[in-house]
Amino acid sequence: MMHSTLRSTSLAAVLAMCVSLAHGAGFVLTSPSIKPGSMLTEVQVFNGFGCTGKNVSPALKWSGAPKDTKSFAVTVYDPDAPTGSGWWHWVVYNIPATAVELPEGAGLPDGKQLPAGSVQGRTDFGAPGFGGACPPKGDKPHRYVFTVYALKTDKLDIPPDGTAALVGYMINANKLAAATFTAKYGRAK
């Protein structure tokens, strides 16, 4: 009897894990501005630090979020930045559960093009808002990871001066599912 109970408990745990994984399986992030695996254009390149791009956040669209989603968060992260910890280019949270996209240019520091209630966290450029690609000259092309997170809470309670790492911690503590794609950008010597 004990083996049967143990086996039933183990089977239930495995089934719960499979349902949890499948729950976010249809969650997809796309962009009409950027194709996965492509090179970013000057439109998404930072204007500063030696770069002369337009610094415009791309349009992002998502679908298939889990039914229990109460809000979304979006991040753009460069794991190849020579910092030892990568570089946060954009952090947006408290996006309402009714939202399914962010328009091109939504990452302006004033946040006026974001859905009502959305908050932009401080990036590694030191301020809120989208900060485009700007890897060091001569580096191999860096990867820029665009991610939307479906969250189980309607609001992340983060202080206005909270770091991107703190926002990332709170996102992961409340994550139901994530959808992502990666693009690249490099600068010649």
Side-chain angles (χ1 to χ4, degrees):
M1 175 122 164
M2 185 163 161
H3 291 304
S4 176
T5 302
L6 185 58
R7 190 177 4 217
S8 294
T9 302
S10 296
L11 180 59
V14 168
L15 287 173
M17 185 173 73
C18 289
V19 167
S20 175
L21 290 173
H23 196 57
F27 194 29
V28 177
L29 175 65
T30 61
S31 172
S33 310
I34 303 167
K35 300 300 174 219
S38 70
M39 293 296 260
L40 297 175
T41 68
E42 294 301 312
V43 174
Q44 296 94 30
V45 172
F46 193 66
N47 188 8
F49 283 46
C51 291
T52 56
K54 294 184 179 171
N55 201 44
V56 176
S57 60
L60 299 172
K61 297 181 179 199
W62 54 88
S63 62
K67 67 177 178 65
D68 297 334
T69 300
K70 293 186 178 174
S71 70
F72 294 100
V74 169
T75 63
V76 179
Y77 177 71
D78 171 4
D80 301 317
T83 63
S85 61
W87 192 273
W88 293 99
H89 287 264
W90 199 20
V91 180
V92 186
Y93 56 95
N94 296 346
I95 301 168
T98 55
V100 294
E101 65 183 326
L102 297 179
E104 184 173 77
L108 291 172
D110 65 16
K112 289 182 179 178
Q113 292 187 46
L114 292 170
S118 301
V119 177
Q120 294 186 106
R122 192 175 74 203
T123 69
D124 286 335
F125 288 109
F130 178 78
C134 187
K137 282 184 176 183
D139 263 13
K140 68 177 178 148
H142 286 204
R143 295 169 292 159
Y144 296 88
V145 183
F146 294 78
T147 307
V148 61
Y149 299 89
L151 304 177
K152 63 184 175 183
T153 184
D154 59 350
K155 184 176 185 227
L156 296 178
D157 190 19
I158 297 169
D161 63 345
T163 64
L166 175 61
V167 175
Y169 176 84
M170 296 301 288
I171 287 171
N172 283 300
N174 290 282
K175 178 174 66 173
L176 293 171
T180 187
F181 70 83
T182 302
K184 294 182 177 182
Y185 183 76
R187 295 194 302 156
K189 281 190 173 184

